[in-house]
Amino acid sequence: MTAAIVDGRAVLGIELGSTRIKACLIDPDDPTAVLAVGSSDWENRFENRTWTYSLDDVWSGLQAAYVDLVADVQRRYGLALGAVGAIGVSAMMHGYLAFDGEGELLVPFRTWRNTSTGPAAAELTDLFGTNIPLRWSIAHLYQAVLDDEPHVADVRFVTTLAGYVHWRLTGRRVLGVGDASGMFPIDATTKTYDERMLRQFGDLVGERGIDLAALLPEVLPAGVPAGELTTEGAALLDPTGALRPGVILCPPEGDAGTGMVATNSVAPRTGNVSAGTSIFAMVVLERPLESLHHEIDLVTTPAGDPVAMVHCNNGASELAAWVGLFTRFSEAAGTPVGADVAFEALFREALVGAADAGGLLAYNHLAGEPIAGLDEGRPLFVRTPDSVLNLANFMRAQLYGVFGTLALGMRVLDGEGVALDRMFAHGGMFRTAGVAQRFLAGALAAPVSVAETASEGGAWGIAVLAAYAATAPGLALDEYLTDRVFATSAFETADPDPADVAGFAVYLDRYAAGLAVERAAVASL
């Protein structure tokens, strides 16, 4: 394993998630071998009613994660990390990063979490005949047009967070097709932006003189080299100067695409669920959907194949907040336990809860949730006087609540007759074996598999894509994943428990009815 580090062939994957920036180093000859990891915590800010991150925090966080990775290499192997064989960058999809002709950011980064683009998204959905979600980059741009924001006249480049970091590291304004599909609709045949819709948008904003095709990044499929690390880019990642430039980078991808890679879910009839600050399901389609559904986004795999995406703005953050409360209680009681121990104990307790969570309801809506019809979020815990309040039911309700809005969207795909042979899951909440995975199987009424690499998530997934670009030219992505990456990988599979399926169905019906309480809270608080 150390040979890849010594020879400078180890592959680096970096992902900017919602709460953590992670770096992952893998062996290109055995991509499942995670050589070292590093991370840095960060948090979005709600400023002027906008969810954002500062670009200064992007670079300080990336440098901290890289320093942590280098320290892990030294700690494990007694080696200094200087050269790597390839690099991949991934980040949260969607949102709006707009730059002028000098490369200066025009307005603060508007993340996927913002739900202020309703009028634009609705008008574009009607115009294109395909669903344009609130968080897509094109919705943010057109909303700025509708609101007569003065910066629009100066926009010369619009990209995602992954595209921005890649641009600064390489000088190239490119994007992987999966991430690009969350900016503007992709033509399934050409695997680039839909020409008809580009023309329609041009006609819509004709008097503004906006050439959208010139503003968007170039689209690249997985496996194509997407530039090299420049001297300036190397210094941005590693100010010590030890990291050598000249390394190839793969096309930057979004967290949805890296989640598909991390779970080998890029072939038709496969799917995955990624759970973090947001939660979403990706289902690779074998045929087009028959109808337009506002709950379903049409995106692509990193290879450009069509995918139905059920995206929920709110994932495990509220669950983590409650676990933090119990962790603090242990400290106050004089018997402190760490966060990992608290998660394990509380998740295990949920297993003995009632199948329907005893009549308790948990809403994890810190931000707006389009599928639930919410422009803003109000996290709530709700129960009736005859419900059974105990720790087991409380924790099961919290875990069910993470999957609640997702399950509402998956009902739509079930109504379309979309078939699934396998569903995979990844993200930190699946580290406690057999709990969140089991409840998700009950929520989806389908088997759910988790790989050993599930907790590494997108940082590992983008490292695999970088290794693919560097070592497997000409091989189809699904073949590379199946034959070279996952050939000997072990998956733990949870089949749906009939009691869980029935109990979650009762919970979900109550959850859907209780959304009226959420709407009242948004209006009143």
Side-chain angles (χ1 to χ4, degrees):
M1 292 173 65
T2 59
I5 300 173
V6 172
D7 297 342
R9 295 183 299 105
V11 176
L12 173 63
I14 299 170
E15 181 163 74
L16 296 95
S18 301
T19 60
R20 181 175 290 184
I21 300 173
K22 296 180 70 174
C24 180
L25 197 68
I26 67 171
D27 187 333
D29 300 324
D30 179 10
T32 60
V34 176
L35 303 177
V37 295
S39 67
S40 173
D41 293 335
W42 72 334
E43 191 57 70
N44 57 187
R45 308 172 186 180
F46 192 58
E47 298 177 345
N48 299 318
R49 303 194 66 78
T50 297
W51 291 103
T52 188
Y53 298 84
S54 80
L55 297 192
D56 287 342
D57 288 349
V58 169
W59 296 108
S60 63
L62 281 169
Q63 290 169 5
Y66 187 76
V67 166
D68 197 34
L69 176 83
V70 170
D72 195 34
V73 171
Q74 179 66 42
R75 188 165 47 248
R76 293 193 195 199
Y77 313 108
L79 297 172
L81 184 64
V84 296
I87 299 175
V89 176
S90 175
M92 300 166 281
M93 289 179 69
H94 318 296
Y96 184 66
L97 279 159
F99 299 88
D100 65 15
E102 302 301 317
E104 296 297 321
L105 187 68
L106 290 167
V107 291
F109 174 28
R110 297 169 184 177
T111 78
W112 56 270
R113 205 170 193 177
N114 292 286
T115 55
S116 57
T117 59
E123 187 174 345
L124 292 175
T125 295
D126 290 341
L127 177 67
F128 296 153
T130 191
N131 184 37
I132 302 298
L134 302 181
R135 64 191 182 281
W136 278 27
S137 306
I138 188 60
H140 282 279
L141 174 61
Y142 187 50
Q143 190 64 52
V145 171
L146 293 179
D147 293 341
D148 288 320
E149 293 193 37
H151 82 271
V152 171
D154 297 320
V155 175
R156 297 296 180 270
F157 178 46
V158 177
T159 191
T160 65
L161 182 55
Y164 162 70
V165 172
H166 183 95
W167 169 39
R168 293 293 306 277
L169 295 181
T170 66
R172 292 196 60 185
R173 298 181 176 186
V174 301
L175 207 58
V177 62
D179 205 6
S181 70
M183 294 192 75
F184 192 85
I186 296 292
D187 185 319
T189 302
T190 65
K191 301 188 188 306
T192 189
Y193 305 116
D194 189 290
E195 287 287 347
R196 173 183 64 84
M197 297 180 195
L198 285 174
R199 289 194 299 270
Q200 288 176 312
F201 186 82
D203 292 341
L204 181 66
V205 297
E207 73 282 1
R208 295 269 186 167
I210 297 174
D211 182 359
L212 185 60
L215 302 185
L216 295 172
E218 178 187 357
V219 180
L220 297 176
V224 174
E228 294 184 354
L229 183 67
T230 63
T231 300
E232 296 78 10
L236 279 172
L237 269 185
D238 180 16
T240 71
L243 180 62
R244 299 172 198 167
V247 181
I248 74 159
L249 274 77
C250 68
E253 266 297 348
D255 49 1
T258 56
M260 284 186 277
V261 170
T263 53
N264 193 18
S265 305
V266 300
R269 298 175 65 96
T270 63
N272 78 91
V273 170
S274 177
T277 301
S278 63
I279 185 170
F280 50 83
M282 311 287 289
V283 179
V284 186
L285 299 173
E286 56 184 344
R287 60 168 178 80
L289 298 182
E290 294 180 1
S291 304
L292 184 155
H293 300 282
H294 293 282
E295 302 90 344
I296 307 298
D297 309 347
L298 295 178
V299 292
T300 79
T301 70
D305 297 316
V307 171
M309 181 182 193
V310 179
H311 183 281
C312 309
N313 283 351
N314 300 280
S317 294
E318 180 67 1
L319 171 67
W322 279 105
V323 174
L325 182 146
F326 287 111
T327 304
R328 174 57 191 147
F329 170 76
S330 74
E331 296 170 352
T335 55
V337 299
D340 288 344
V341 173
F343 270 102
E344 174 88 19
L346 292 168
F347 275 38
R348 294 290 176 205
E349 182 70 6
L351 291 173
V352 299
D356 67 347
L360 311 182
L361 286 174
Y363 293 97
N364 63 339
H365 301 139
L366 286 159
E369 194 61 83
I371 291 178
L374 299 170
D375 291 331
E376 296 182 27
R378 298 293 185 273
L380 294 175
F381 173 67
V382 182
R383 71 186 187 98
T384 56
D386 60 345
S387 61
V388 182
L389 178 60
N390 56 41
L391 183 59
N393 287 344
F394 176 83
M395 286 308 302
R396 187 175 281 229
Q398 292 293 338
L399 283 158
Y400 277 6
V402 174
F403 303 135
T405 311
L406 181 78
L408 294 176
M410 291 298 288
R411 281 182 171 181
V412 175
L413 286 183
D414 187 59
E416 276 268 3
V418 173
L420 268 174
D421 292 333
R422 58 190 183 196
M423 179 65 84
F424 297 91
H426 77 121
M429 70 181 295
F430 297 104
R431 284 188 300 172
T432 302
V435 183
Q437 178 186 6
R438 169 183 153 178
F439 293 158
L440 180 59
L444 301 180
V448 173
S449 298
V450 175
E452 294 175 353
T453 52
S455 63
E456 298 302 336
W460 181 75
I462 193 63
V464 170
L465 284 175
Y468 173 56
T471 65
L475 192 65
L477 179 59
D478 60 337
E479 292 180 57
Y480 173 75
L481 294 177
T482 300
D483 298 340
R484 297 197 186 180
V485 179
F486 291 96
T488 60
S489 294
F491 288 88
E492 292 291 334
T493 300
D495 292 315
D497 183 300
D500 290 341
V501 174
F504 186 85
V506 172
Y507 178 93
L508 190 62
D509 286 342
R510 191 184 300 120
Y511 180 95
L515 286 171
V517 181
E518 270 286 316
R519 287 187 281 271
V522 170
S524 303
L525 298 175

